[in-house]
Amino acid sequence: MPGSVYDAIFELGVDNYGFVSQGQAREIGIPAQRLVVLEDRGLLERRRHGLYRVIALPVSPLDSYMEATLWPVGVQGVLSDETALELHGLSDVSPAKIHITVPRRHRTRRSVPSQYVIHRRDLDPSDVTSHEGIPIVTTARAIRDAHAGHLGPALIRQAIDDGERLGKLSQAIADELREELLGE
């Protein structure tokens, strides 16, 4: 029967779509070796270096997004650029990879998985929100970042229009984005 360590890990997983990083476990006093023991017992699945999934928790269509934000060791990534546009329901963008923003100074010591695109930016706290508990940039930040990443003007225009129509952008911010990014 699993004990109090598993119960604590399970609770962390409930808040993270089933995922638990070594850093999160360490913050609540659980050493990394205990995660390995739980994996050996078949209670956790190792997904990547330092990242585990609680097997008893149900899978969600948003799992890959939460996993992406937990992939960077030492910081939590934030969904951004085209991925953020997609999750905010803006434009017909369909990114082939998950875009994650990490602080500019953060360096990874391992290769980036092929399904991720890492952006290095220092985000203002006002530029970060959440989508069903997953850290994501705000609508306006997503549009600006996608524009900077050379997303076509038709998709940028559509994202601004969709953001305004869906109430995710005020008319003033939408007008500002049109002028700033599209020269309209």
Side-chain angles (χ1 to χ4, degrees):
M1 191 72 162
S4 61
V5 169
Y6 177 75
D7 291 343
I9 294 298
F10 186 90
E11 287 304 314
L12 276 176
V14 166
D15 294 336
N16 291 309
Y17 290 84
F19 293 96
V20 176
S21 71
Q22 284 182 351
Q24 291 171 321
R26 190 174 30 256
E27 285 175 13
I28 61 169
I30 299 172
Q33 185 56 33
R34 295 302 298 263
L35 297 174
V36 174
V37 170
L38 292 173
E39 177 192 11
D40 290 343
R41 291 183 182 166
L43 299 170
L44 298 180
E45 172 190 13
R46 184 175 183 263
R47 295 298 285 261
R48 300 198 184 282
H49 174 75
L51 185 61
Y52 295 84
R53 188 169 197 304
V54 179
I55 292 174
L57 292 171
V59 174
S60 159
L62 297 175
D63 280 6
S64 60
Y65 297 110
M66 179 56 87
E67 183 175 1
T69 66
L70 294 172
W71 176 81
V73 175
V75 298
Q76 181 154 32
V78 178
L79 299 176
S80 62
D81 297 74
E82 295 173 32
T83 300
L85 289 181
E86 178 185 43
L87 288 176
H88 283 303
L90 307 176
S91 85
D92 293 330
V93 69
S94 182
K97 297 183 178 197
I98 297 175
H99 293 255
I100 311 161
T101 293
V102 296
R104 195 175 304 275
R105 291 179 167 251
H106 180 73
R107 294 292 176 248
T108 57
R109 292 188 172 99
R110 55 204 163 113
S111 60
V112 176
S114 62
Q115 70 267 35
Y116 300 155
V117 176
I118 303 295
H119 301 276
R120 297 183 192 289
R121 293 184 197 102
D122 294 324
L123 295 171
D124 189 273
S126 65
D127 285 334
V128 179
T129 186
S130 69
H131 175 80
E132 298 192 31
I134 302 171
I136 187 171
V137 296
T138 61
T139 301
R141 177 83 268 151
I143 292 169
R144 284 185 172 102
D145 292 345
H147 178 267
H150 306 292
L151 187 65
L155 289 172
I156 295 295
R157 184 176 294 104
Q158 184 184 32
I160 295 168
D161 292 346
D162 288 350
E164 185 177 18
R165 181 178 47 80
L166 295 170
K168 295 182 178 197
L169 292 172
S170 67
Q171 182 179 357
I173 296 294
D175 290 343
E176 177 183 310
L177 288 169
R178 284 186 192 98
E179 183 176 334
E180 174 188 336
L181 306 177
L182 303 170
E184 296 178 354

